[in-house]
Amino acid sequence: MSKLRVESFTISLDGFGAGPEQDLNHPLGVGGTALHGWAMATKTFQKHLFGSDSGQDGVDEDFAARGFQNIGAWILGRNMFGPVRGPWPDESWRGWWGENPVYHVPVFVLTHHPRAPLVMEGGTTFHFVTDGIASALAQARAAAGERDVRVGGGVNVIQQYLRERLIDEMHIAISPVLLGAGERLFDGINLPALGYACTRHASSALATHVVFSRQ
Amino acid sequence: MSKLRVESFTISLDGFGAGPEQDLNHPLGVGGTALHGWAMATKTFQKHLFGSDSGQDGVDEDFAARGFQNIGAWILGRNMFGPVRGPWPDESWRGWWGENPVYHVPVFVLTHHPRAPLVMEGGTTFHFVTDGIASALAQARAAAGERDVRVGGGVNVIQQYLRERLIDEMHIAISPVLLGAGERLFDGINLPALGYACTRHASSALATHVVFSRQ
């Protein structure tokens, strides 16, 4: 069966996956952009985000690249899709990524508030799932076929899938920054008790990369 | 003035500074020994702990060595001194380290229960301080003179000194292991709000090393 994977999810030294006070000007919360220095320097992110041929090779690039390999669908929490909270006031918010988002496959957005699917350019369609993580995963697996499903985040969504032991592999990058507040990835999560172990560890000048695998 | 430093304090990927259920057979809590793989391989620890001339050079050794440079006194929490809880039943517990402990300078042990100073071989004397962290620091500074004071831990003691902004520099090693439970170094601690920033970051195959400095 295809895998459920977390890739390139970055936390701070003090364990936060995003800064506090996310809003339109701070998609990653206050201070959250600094988390992603390692990723922004890579060929993969330069290409996916900016269509640029610059960017660097190395350990960081290896991890960034694997995150896009063999992915047939994504699952995102609603806060990763945008800053709108509560019922959708209208259809105007179409994601952080412009008309041609970086995904190029179906994306399942977990929300409590129904909304019609949103077909974007380049193969990305946002589907809004209101009946929980199991339903989102079933729909994403059906869309992905033989390929894997990637959970984009945020912290709360990853934690929900971890608690159900549904994640097969999780690549986490630890950036040498402090956020001080926000959502902690490992709060209330006992990974060894859930059957996960650290199966890979590599570092660059910009981040420490670890892979957790379900045993 | 001499500095107050934390050195070679190691946490797991999930943020724990020691495993759960510390006792006589688990000085670092269950699973805690795995934290210190990076340190055990170094020349400094091989020499200090085992009197051995083996051990490796490199990034890990650089950090291990600096932890013993210019240290004139130590401060330890009582649980680092031993597994005994409550009032001292007798004088029989003399630390984890044998008759010639690794410190070779005065060591101030924070405890709620008074006990006479314990003079060991090799220059180590354990002083038991019952009137709090400020008193322990004043006594340690007086003993250290021009040299620095090192806080050995554990988590609770480091947190108390951090909250008072008394620590000047803190070297933390992050080991690629999961503990799942125990005491989290950064629980309830907002380092940026306390004025700390990450000022150094280096990695080896066995650990990621970071230094936090008070700005």
Side-chain angles (χ1 to χ4, degrees), chain A residues 176 180 184 186 190 201 203 205 208, chain B residues 176 180 184 186 190 201 203 205 208:
Chain A
R184 280 204 162 104
F186 297 126
N190 185 326
H201 173 249
S203 296
T208 295
Chain B
R184 279 204 162 103
F186 297 127
N190 185 325
H201 173 247
S203 296
T208 295

Side-chain angles (χ1 to χ4, degrees), chain A residues 11 15-20 79 154-157 159 181-187:
Chain A
I11 62 176
F16 298 104
N79 295 358
V155 164
N156 179 269
V157 170
Q159 288 184 336
E183 290 184 273
R184 280 204 162 104
L185 180 60
F186 297 126
D187 256 4

Side-chain angles (χ1 to χ4, degrees), chain A residues 2 12 45 51 117 127 129 175 215:
Chain A
S2 78
S12 63
F45 277 75
H127 299 274
V129 180
S175 279
Q215 303 298 291

Side-chain angles (χ1 to χ4, degrees), chain A residues 11 13-15 174-181 184 186-192 196-198 201 203-208 210 212, chain B residues 11 13-15 174 176-181 184 186-192 196-198 201 203-208 210 212:
Chain A
I11 62 176
L13 292 168
D14 43 357
I174 304 169
S175 279
V177 300
L178 289 167
L179 288 176
R184 280 204 162 104
F186 297 126
D187 256 4
I189 296 286
N190 185 326
L191 284 179
Y196 293 89
C198 177
H201 173 249
S203 296
S204 74
L206 297 175
T208 295
V210 288
F212 301 108
Chain B
I11 63 175
L13 292 168
D14 44 356
I174 305 170
V177 301
L178 289 166
L179 287 177
R184 279 204 162 103
F186 297 127
D187 256 4
I189 295 285
N190 185 325
L191 283 179
Y196 292 89
C198 176
H201 173 247
S203 296
S204 75
L206 298 175
T208 295
V210 288
F212 301 108

Side-chain angles (χ1 to χ4, degrees), chain A residues 119-161:
Chain A
V119 181
M120 309 296 288
E121 296 171 14
T124 301
T125 297
F126 294 109
H127 299 274
F128 299 89
V129 180
T130 57
D131 51 354
I133 65 165
S135 170
L137 179 55
Q139 294 180 56
R141 281 204 203 280
E146 299 281 303
R147 288 185 292 169
D148 294 341
V149 176
R150 176 169 166 178
V151 179
V155 164
N156 179 269
V157 170
I158 295 174
Q159 288 184 336
Q160 287 187 56
Y161 282 107

Side-chain angles (χ1 to χ4, degrees), chain A residues 24-46:
Chain A
L24 191 57
N25 297 317
H26 303 91
L28 301 165
V30 174
T33 305
L35 280 179
H36 300 277
W38 73 269
M40 289 307 162
T42 64
K43 276 189 175 170
T44 291
F45 277 75
Q46 285 292 316

